[in-house]
Amino acid sequence: MMPEGQREPVSPRAALSAPDTGSSEPTACPPPQPPTPGSTEPPAPWRGSVRASVPQKLAEALSSQYGLNVFVAGLLLLLAWAVHASGVGKSDLLCFLTALMLLQLLWMLWYVGRSAAHRRLIRLKDTHAGARWLRGSITLFAVITVILGCLKIGYFIGFSECLSAAEGVFPVTHAVHTLLQVYFLWGHAKDIIQSFKTLERFGVIHSVFTNLLLWANSVLNESKHQLNEHKERLITLGFGNITIELDDHTPPCNCTPPTLCSAISHGIYYLYPFNIEYQILASTMLYVLWKNVGRKMDSHQYQKIQFKFRGVAVGSALGLAVLAATIGVVVVYLIQIGRSKSKSESALIMFYLYAIAVLILMGAGGLVGILIYRLDEQSLDESKNPARKLDTDLLVGTASGSWLLSWGSILAILCAEARPLYTWYNLPYSILVIAEKSIQNLFIIEATHRQPDVSEDIRTVRVVTVCNGSGTSLAPSCLKSGAVTGDVAPQGSETPPAVNGNMCLREGDDKEERSREGPPGPAGHPRFLQSNTKGRVLRNIAAFLFLCNISLWIPPAFGCRPEYDNGLEEIVFGFEPWIILVNLAMPFSIFYRMHAAASLFEVYCKI
């Protein structure tokens, strides 16, 4: 019901088809009605919304505390098993994780069944959450996780004489859990839950922390394997005073056939990096779903972004060259390290030189991208977006892991009494890691908060304001040139003059307004910022940084970790403190590269 004296706004299609009445001036709108004096009581809907939001906030706080308690209990079990605490074995840990997965499976089955029963109802969706490329990535990692589960089942069969039944049940449950969870995320990652909100909050947060515990379990197993290999290599660098007692969890019985069991054991650790990425990606997608429970949608309309492989030959070529060089460096590093002291030192120097060159190129590309965005006056997207906020927090939070290791290396170099030649290459490498990640974070945050560029072929007609029962039609000159939403028209089109941003004037007033405003575009900006060259340069930068982050994810994920093999930090800080620090920070450093690559892919599609 519209207020008296006003009619409903005319739709854009009706505005286009309406005949020109010849009116040259807009009809004045009535002044806004002042509020009734003496009215201090808030409107009834506002009071109702406050009452409704209180239990929602309480349910959110209670569910988060439940999830944190589950996570802390699981971490303590992991720690107890890692330090060989009495009375806590691996079977106890696996039973706890299996119970968590089974509980999540029951909740997911209930949710999927209830959604199927009410599939005809219109459901709100968060268009920013669960992008198709993200679901495709998690599907790829899930497939490798299922393969990892099959290898673990084969490992259990080989050592079945001395392994508990929990070690055979766990991989089977994990494989089923992975398949159903991927199906759940494909169908419901965008849901905005508005019913059974308290129950759904507990179910989703349980799923989040279950995946985080599975991630922590995989990280711990992979770290133990890497640490054993590191201890065996340290002696070749001349650090004989460091203990090399192995923390081995090999079963106390023989496997038949031994060759197959050895191949399965090595294959498991090569697949762990993909399993680790799967668990953390699943937990982030589920966390966004938890934040969307009971969310009130704003009026901001999301513009669909599309992948365009055009005009990025330079960035793609440079990125692929870095990727090829990375594979070569990793292969040579793993072959040379630990063979002898001279070969280990040459492998470390080779890695540092390679990483320094790549980080310099990435930092330069990020600075150019930030400069382009700073010179551009494109509007910012300030709408509420839980997925984007989580991405930003994860970028800064996970980057702190590598910053911690880099500052530790810098202090070790400055405080060490004796510094071998190869350790000096670690100083510029550590400084560049800090600088490059800071620059890259700024570039990604700047890009994700920009409105997507509007294509030149898109013309959006503004809705004409209607006041006092009379409407004003669009001027013919506006219909010819096309009115574009926003303040800046696409390249190659005329910007129609406006009164208060919503109505065109006569042709004569058009010329007068143009002469008063001057040429379009911000004065003093470089010429390429007003053309497609800006988008092409930014797409090349995003493509290059995307491939470089994939390249820098490979070395630490597959055992090329100079933080372990350098040896200088262990002398300065002590072996145990430094190894604990590396084991805590390295998973975040590895995840940062994959998460940054995912964010840069989204930036590329958005440009």
Side-chain angles (χ1 to χ4, degrees), residues 56-98:
Q56 293 183 25
K57 289 295 182 182
L58 291 176
E60 184 176 345
L62 190 60
S63 63
S64 61
Q65 292 178 67
Y66 161 77
L68 287 172
N69 277 279
V70 170
F71 187 60
V72 170
L75 285 181
L76 286 176
L77 267 177
L78 281 168
L79 179 62
W81 172 69
V83 300
H84 305 281
S86 60
V88 179
K90 189 175 183 179
S91 59
D92 301 314
L93 172 64
L94 295 181
C95 286
F96 179 75
L97 294 176
T98 302

Side-chain angles (χ1 to χ4, degrees), residues 104-161:
Q104 183 188 345
L105 282 171
L106 291 175
W107 172 78
M108 287 191 296
L109 288 171
W110 177 82
Y111 185 90
V112 171
R114 190 174 64 86
S115 299
H118 300 86
R119 59 183 177 275
R120 294 186 178 181
L121 296 179
I122 298 176
R123 297 180 179 274
L124 294 176
K125 297 288 185 180
D126 182 2
T127 53
H128 296 277
R132 184 169 298 178
W133 60 265
L134 183 59
R135 287 176 287 170
S137 301
I138 202 172
T139 302
L140 175 62
F141 290 138
V143 170
I144 300 177
T145 298
V146 172
I147 296 174
L148 174 63
C150 295
L151 291 180
K152 286 186 175 181
I153 293 172
Y155 184 82
F156 170 77
I157 294 174
F159 289 100
S160 57
E161 296 179 1

Side-chain angles (χ1 to χ4, degrees), residues 20 38 83 89 207 227 271 308 354 436 446 465 472 534 542:
D20 188 6
V83 300
S207 304
L227 182 58
L271 296 182
K308 296 172 289 185
Y354 146 80
E436 185 273 328
E446 184 84 29
T465 304
T472 304
K534 179 195 73 173

Side-chain angles (χ1 to χ4, degrees), residues 212-407:
L212 284 177
L213 283 175
L214 291 171
W215 168 77
N217 179 57
S218 299
V219 167
L220 181 60
N221 281 283
E222 197 265 347
S223 297
K224 279 181 171 290
H225 175 73
Q226 293 290 340
L227 182 58
N228 286 337
E229 292 189 347
H230 165 61
K231 288 179 177 179
E232 292 174 346
R233 291 197 298 254
L234 269 180
I235 194 64
T236 64
L237 289 175
F239 300 101
N241 57 337
I242 298 177
T243 177
I244 58 170
E245 181 182 355
L246 299 182
D247 186 12
D248 199 1
H249 289 274
T250 304
C253 59
N254 295 325
C255 174
T256 52
T259 305
L260 179 60
C261 292
S262 177
I264 290 176
S265 179
H266 284 84
I268 286 174
Y269 291 106
Y270 279 112
L271 296 182
Y272 262 126
F274 302 99
N275 172 242
I276 291 170
E277 295 301 328
Y278 161 73
Q279 301 292 173
I280 199 68
L281 280 177
S283 62
T284 55
M285 293 178 70
L286 289 165
Y287 176 78
V288 172
L289 179 63
W290 180 73
K291 292 295 290 184
N292 279 332
V293 175
R295 176 186 168 193
K296 298 293 187 295
M297 293 295 294
D298 52 21
S299 59
H300 177 74
Q301 296 297 321
Y302 175 72
Q303 183 173 355
K304 186 177 180 179
I305 56 178
Q306 295 180 348
F307 177 76
K308 296 172 289 185
F309 189 77
R310 184 177 58 190
V312 291
V314 177
S316 300
L318 287 175
L320 290 173
V322 171
L323 182 60
T326 301
I327 296 174
V329 167
V330 170
V331 171
V332 174
Y333 184 95
L334 294 177
I335 293 175
Q336 296 287 347
I337 200 76
R339 299 292 180 180
S340 65
K341 185 176 181 180
S342 59
K343 289 183 177 180
S344 296
E345 290 180 359
S346 62
L348 286 168
I349 292 173
M350 174 197 64
F351 176 84
Y352 286 135
L353 291 176
Y354 146 80
I356 288 170
V358 173
L359 291 172
I360 289 175
L361 291 175
M362 293 177 68
L367 284 174
V368 172
I370 293 173
L371 180 62
I372 293 175
Y373 278 124
R374 288 290 87 200
L375 293 175
D376 190 15
E377 292 185 354
Q378 188 178 356
S379 60
L380 296 177
D381 181 6
E382 298 179 354
S383 61
K384 185 179 179 181
N385 187 341
R388 184 176 60 197
K389 184 180 184 303
L390 177 62
D391 287 341
T392 302
D393 294 341
L394 285 175
L395 279 174
V396 178
T398 55
S400 61
S402 57
W403 289 339
L404 181 64
L405 295 178
S406 295
W407 280 112

Side-chain angles (χ1 to χ4, degrees), residues 463-500:
V463 178
V464 182
T465 304
V466 182
C467 301
N468 290 335
S470 62
T472 304
S473 62
L474 293 173
S477 60
C478 293
L479 295 180
K480 291 178 182 179
S481 61
V484 180
T485 305
D487 298 324
V488 181
Q491 185 70 18
S493 65
E494 284 189 21
T495 307
V499 175
N500 294 332

Side-chain angles (χ1 to χ4, degrees), residues 307 309 311-326 354-369 436 440 443-444 536-552 593 596-597 600-601 603-604 607:
F307 177 76
F309 189 77
V312 291
V314 177
S316 300
L318 287 175
L320 290 173
V322 171
L323 182 60
T326 301
Y354 146 80
I356 288 170
V358 173
L359 291 172
I360 289 175
L361 291 175
M362 293 177 68
L367 284 174
V368 172
E436 185 273 328
Q440 182 170 262
F443 172 73
I444 294 174
R536 190 157 51 246
V537 171
L538 290 173
R539 280 196 298 272
N540 275 278
I541 292 173
F544 173 69
L545 292 178
F546 167 77
L547 291 170
C548 285
N549 277 277
I550 294 293
S551 302
L552 292 180
R593 288 301 176 187
L600 286 163
F601 184 82
V603 168
Y604 175 87
I607 297 173

